[in-house]
Amino acid sequence: RKEVEQDPGPFNVPEGATVAFNCTYSNSASQSFFWYRQDCRKEPKLLMSVYSSGNEDGRFTAQLNRASQYISLLIRDSKLSDSATYLCVAQPSTDKLIFGTGTRLQVFP
Amino acid sequence: DTAVSQTPKYLVTQMGNDKSIKCEQNLGHDTMYWYKQDSKKFLKIMFSYNNKELIINETVPNRFSPKSPDKAHLNLHINSLELGDSAVYFCASSLRGFYEQYFGPGTRLTVT
């Protein structure tokens, strides 16, 4: 079983749609969680950290459910520029990030 | 003013050769990492260094030898390159602890 599991997609959505990605992690000792975005042939870039209380950054909302070991990302009012691969990340120790294999999003006009 | 930089960006070489990749960060971080992203896009940690000291070595073949001359630099030397080493190698840095990591642009290594 992978340590961080995501639906690989692709999710094909029209501009303006709301889309949600889910992710589960297996190591209950994980203390920090993140969503990264990776564009084709580019490096992963931090999108947002995920806090237990849930957090929002503009059109993006992240949620964490520690009991179910589940993380989610909601994107509202999708833009063409949101097309990318979204990587769910758990941090089980101070020096190690565990990445999911990513969920690909394609927003079409 | 690039935060995490890597050189070279592309590396094409033959099996059996030895090559190095360099990484530098100007974020004032004390921890640096090497990751490998294979053809299936899976990103996996290889090494982690904190203040020049090796912290994590994730069962990487000993043909891979990282070196950190100071906390702003982390290089990766690969001996006797094999076809399976073809991948994108990312350097990253962070503060030590449960903090986000910042990635360099990657080095695309192709072994022929």
Side-chain angles (χ1 to χ4, degrees), chain A residues 2 29-32 34 36 38 41-46 49 87 91-101, chain B residues 10 31 33 35 37 41-43 45 48 50 55-56 58 90 96-106 108:
Chain A
K2 292 196 179 87
S30 297
Q31 298 208 25
S32 294
F34 308 95
Y36 276 73
Q38 188 172 23
R41 300 178 79 85
K42 297 283 191 182
E43 73 272 24
K45 288 187 175 163
L46 178 69
S49 301
L87 301 167
Q91 189 169 18
S93 66
T94 55
D95 303 298
K96 200 168 165 178
L97 294 185
I98 306 296
F99 283 79
T101 49
Chain B
Y10 298 96
T31 308
Y33 312 82
Y35 285 84
Q37 188 167 44
K41 308 297 182 194
F42 183 52
L43 193 63
I45 189 164
S48 162
N50 175 254
I55 303 296
I56 290 176
E58 284 284 307
F90 288 103
R96 186 114 195 251
F98 290 94
Y99 297 103
E100 62 275 12
Q101 294 176 15
Y102 294 87
F103 284 77
R108 188 170 294 273

Side-chain angles (χ1 to χ4, degrees), chain B residues 46-47 60-66 76-79 85 89:
Chain B
M46 300 171 69
F47 301 103
V60 176
N62 57 16
R63 298 183 296 103
F64 290 78
S65 48
L76 183 65
H77 187 77
I78 315 171
N79 288 328
D85 297 332
Y89 292 84

